[in-house]
Amino acid sequence: MLHERRRAAARGMARRASGWRQAAAAGLLALATTAAWPAHKVQDTPVAWVNGQPIPRTTLVELLNLRNGAADGTGRPLAPVTLADRQQALEEVVQLELVAQQAAAQGVSTTPEALAELAHQRDQVLGQRLLRLMAQETLVDEATLKARHAALPTEHEVSVRQVLLADEAAARDVIARLDAGADFAELARTRSVDVDSRQSGGLLPTANASNFLPAFAAAAVGQPLGRHGADPVHTEAGWHVLRVEARRAIPPPPLDQAREWLVPQMVNERVDAQVAAWREAATVEVLQPIDDGPLVTPEGDVATVDGRPISRLQLELVVKARNGMDDPTAPVDPNRPPPSITGRAATLDELVATDLLAHQARLRGLDKNPSVIAETDLQTKAVVGRLYVRHLIAHTAVRRTELEALYRTDVPVHDFKVSQILVADEAAARDVIARLDRGARFATVARSVSLDTASKAAGGSVGWVAHQDLPPAMADLVRGMTPGRHAAAPVRTANGWAVLRLDARRTARQRPSLDEAAVWLYPKLVHDKVQARMAQRRAQAAVRIVQ
């Protein structure tokens, strides 16, 4: 348990370092040198042609590497890439290329906003790749590792009772009562403001002391066992009167076990220190206000980093996304005042860090590496795809009659009582259906094989469910079923494959109005139209796969 906590702490340290490090959590990628990056001729061989435009093999390989975990840095053996994996990845890169062509043809990828997003994405890829390379290049010698291991502190697992009070006077009054012989548990039940521990006489779950607030943890480790503290402990939660019931020392794990998480932690610290040194040495000039407030007209540069500009447009685009304002299907109320934007200063700090890392990556020639170029191409085309979908959504009209028709089919007048048997794959689901067809009882099979613990004990019964609360695939299936019969085919869900039975149908008790249902019907209609348009263009494209 301790070892898991230490590994989690190491991972947490890497996550807490700053926003730009989170994106590097994908791990290490083998980048052999930092000077020349010659591409092998095989890497330039097209794997497909889309409307006459070749897709290099490096693009497909890079996507397979990203999907297969080749850059996770764990050293674990990778799962073999199957033919199905390759075909799926190939279709994805074909679709990305096709969308990029459509976006370019309609000017979507050349607007100022698009150019700003694409430049930011390229910088992010370069920065992430630099962090991976720096981590791979950073070596921890055995002597330094042993010294760090020797300095690891002994931790303590503690069992503590508390009476939590709002102020110091109340806490000292409780201590006086305890000194006079009052029962600690009874005072906790009657005086403590901590609802969670009050009913257990103030007893907290046994935990590592490091999980508590610092002052609380210090008292839990240093206070004598079995006696309440002579003074209250003040934390941000209030004033604590503590009694330590039990305490167990947990020494650090052996070096061979600690190495697994201690080396990555030390590597991350050194990489962080180098990036912090770059940040300290950089000259950053903030040229415009970055206070919280409404969106501003994105004009000019908001800051420079060693003379390199960060545009106001880029800052507003990123901070707008951070505030959840980039959903093109979100309803717009002209009567509401513009929302306030928060986090501009923090976002600018991240943009500065991204710029510094991308600049260092270019100095090392990473932008010339074929693998980096391929990933940049993938990531920027994904951005273009998102922009293109927004463009299609903005130009997709939904008529009232279409909403009414979807309302009639997707918001029926019935609720459904449903049972299910959830299994891991389609083959197992079809085996369940075969057993039911031969006369097996649905409830018996559900109790025997269903993976859904919530319904398994009830023989698979989910109970009454409103139509709109069912996943779309289930709703479409259930709507056409006969009560008392199981479905002839399974349905795929987010958790596996489900075999359904419609137990009963009744008039809906609370059918939403059309205007209420439009909140989810409108995005569904837009989504379906956009998907249909993209499928049509995929069918019309001239695609040639090179075997």
Side-chain angles (χ1 to χ4, degrees):
M1 179 181 298
L2 170 63
H3 307 161
E4 289 300 322
R5 283 198 295 268
R6 291 182 185 271
R7 283 194 288 268
R11 292 191 295 267
M13 180 174 295
R15 285 195 298 270
R16 289 193 298 269
S18 66
W20 49 262
R21 282 209 59 84
Q22 294 177 7
L28 312 178
L29 190 67
L31 301 176
T33 67
T34 61
W37 308 98
H40 192 282
K41 62 175 62 178
V42 174
Q43 294 174 318
D44 291 330
T45 304
V47 292
W49 296 79
V50 180
N51 295 328
Q53 180 67 31
I55 297 177
R57 186 173 302 275
T58 46
T59 302
L60 176 62
V61 171
E62 191 62 33
L63 180 58
L64 286 169
N65 284 340
L66 292 171
R67 295 289 166 81
N68 199 36
D72 66 3
T74 63
R76 296 172 300 184
L78 299 176
V81 176
T82 66
L83 179 60
D85 294 333
R86 185 182 186 279
Q87 290 174 334
Q88 180 182 353
L90 184 55
E91 177 58 31
E92 289 184 39
V93 296
V94 166
Q95 186 67 29
L96 283 172
E97 175 60 33
L98 179 60
V99 169
Q101 293 177 14
Q102 294 287 338
Q106 298 185 36
V108 174
S109 56
T110 56
T111 66
E113 292 79 9
L115 294 175
E117 284 203 47
L118 292 173
H120 179 55
Q121 184 62 54
R122 283 190 287 270
D123 282 356
Q124 283 190 311
V125 173
L126 282 172
Q128 292 161 20
R129 282 302 190 93
L130 176 63
L131 290 174
R132 297 174 197 172
L133 180 57
M134 290 170 64
Q136 187 180 15
E137 293 174 339
T138 301
L139 302 178
V140 177
D141 63 84
E142 194 69 11
T144 304
L145 177 63
K146 288 181 178 178
R148 180 67 170 267
H149 176 260
L152 290 176
T154 296
E155 297 186 354
H156 295 85
E157 189 175 74
V158 295
S159 176
V160 181
R161 287 185 188 271
Q162 71 162 350
V163 182
L164 179 62
L165 289 310
D167 54 64
E168 184 179 8
R172 293 199 177 278
D173 178 67
V174 165
I175 291 174
R177 293 171 181 265
L178 292 171
D179 289 341
D183 181 70
F184 194 104
E186 184 60 27
L187 282 175
R189 280 189 283 267
T190 57
R191 298 287 300 276
S192 181
V193 298
D194 179 38
V195 177
D196 292 335
S197 65
R198 190 166 55 199
Q199 298 305 315
S200 61
L203 185 63
L204 299 171
T206 300
N208 192 295
S210 62
N211 293 338
F212 297 111
L213 294 169
F216 190 109
V221 171
Q223 194 170 294
L225 291 176
R227 298 190 59 184
H228 63 269
D231 294 297
V233 176
H234 186 215
T235 72
E236 61 191 56
W239 292 82
H240 309 260
V241 178
L242 302 182
R243 187 173 77 189
V244 182
E245 302 290 343
R247 182 166 53 231
R248 181 173 68 91
I250 307 175
L255 177 60
D256 287 344
Q257 295 180 23
R259 185 187 306 272
E260 176 187 347
W261 51 267
L262 196 52
V263 170
Q265 177 178 313
M266 296 173 70
V267 167
N268 285 340
E269 290 171 357
R270 294 183 184 184
V271 172
D272 289 343
Q274 177 59 70
V275 176
W278 288 334
R279 179 65 177 85
E280 182 67 25
T283 300
V284 178
E285 293 187 55
V286 179
L287 307 176
Q288 298 180 6
I290 54 173
D291 300 330
D292 293 343
L295 283 171
V296 301
T297 302
E299 296 179 347
D301 297 329
V302 69
T304 60
V305 183
D306 293 331
R308 298 182 300 275
I310 296 177
S311 70
R312 185 80 202 200
L313 176 58
Q314 189 175 84
L315 174 63
E316 294 300 307
L317 286 172
V318 176
V319 80
K320 181 179 177 182
R322 298 282 171 83
N323 281 262
M325 296 174 59
D326 61 345
D327 181 3
T329 64
V332 177
D333 185 351
N335 298 318
R336 294 183 61 184
S340 181
I341 295 293
T342 61
R344 277 196 180 94
T347 302
L348 181 58
D349 282 343
E350 293 182 24
L351 293 178
V352 168
T354 298
D355 175 271
L356 286 169
L357 289 170
H359 178 66
Q360 292 293 330
R362 290 187 177 96
L363 290 179
R364 298 186 62 167
L366 289 182
D367 55 330
K368 304 300 191 296
N369 175 270
S371 174
V372 176
I373 293 171
E375 183 182 352
T376 301
D377 184 59
L378 283 170
Q379 301 287 12
T380 53
K381 282 180 178 175
V383 171
V384 169
R386 187 175 71 248
L387 296 173
Y388 184 60
V389 169
R390 289 182 190 171
H391 170 77
L392 292 180
I393 289 173
H395 292 81
T396 298
V398 174
R399 297 188 299 273
R400 178 79 176 185
T401 54
E402 292 176 310
L403 278 173
E404 291 171 347
L406 189 61
Y407 177 74
R408 287 192 294 271
T409 58
D410 277 35
V411 191
V413 295
H414 296 105
D415 292 336
F416 303 96
K417 189 176 184 181
V418 180
S419 293
Q420 72 165 350
I421 300 172
L422 184 69
V423 291
D425 53 56
E426 184 178 9
R430 293 197 178 278
D431 178 68
V432 166
I433 291 174
R435 292 171 62 183
L436 296 174
D437 289 341
R438 292 194 297 267
R441 293 175 59 84
F442 194 99
T444 301
V445 178
R447 293 189 181 97
S448 173
V449 303
S450 183
L451 302 177
D452 181 40
T453 55
S455 63
K456 181 175 183 175
S461 177
V462 178
W464 287 101
V465 184
H467 183 273
Q468 63 268 22
D469 293 335
L470 286 168
M474 284 190 176
D476 292 342
L477 182 62
V478 166
R479 193 164 53 241
M481 291 176 63
T482 301
R485 300 288 302 275
H486 64 268
V491 59
R492 190 169 191 172
T493 73
N495 300 314
W497 288 79
V499 177
L500 301 181
R501 184 183 69 186
L502 177 60
D503 299 323
R505 179 188 288 116
R506 72 182 180 193
T507 301
R509 296 184 174 181
Q510 291 183 331
R511 190 190 191 202
S513 67
L514 174 60
D515 289 339
E516 292 171 332
V519 172
W520 72 84
L521 294 181
Y522 176 82
K524 182 180 186 304
L525 267 174
V526 172
H527 174 271
D528 291 347
K529 286 188 171 189
V530 168
Q531 291 298 313
R533 193 177 309 178
M534 295 181 70
Q536 180 184 30
R537 290 174 179 171
R538 171 65 177 89
Q540 294 171 344
V543 178
R544 182 166 65 90
I545 305 298
V546 180
Q547 298 296 333

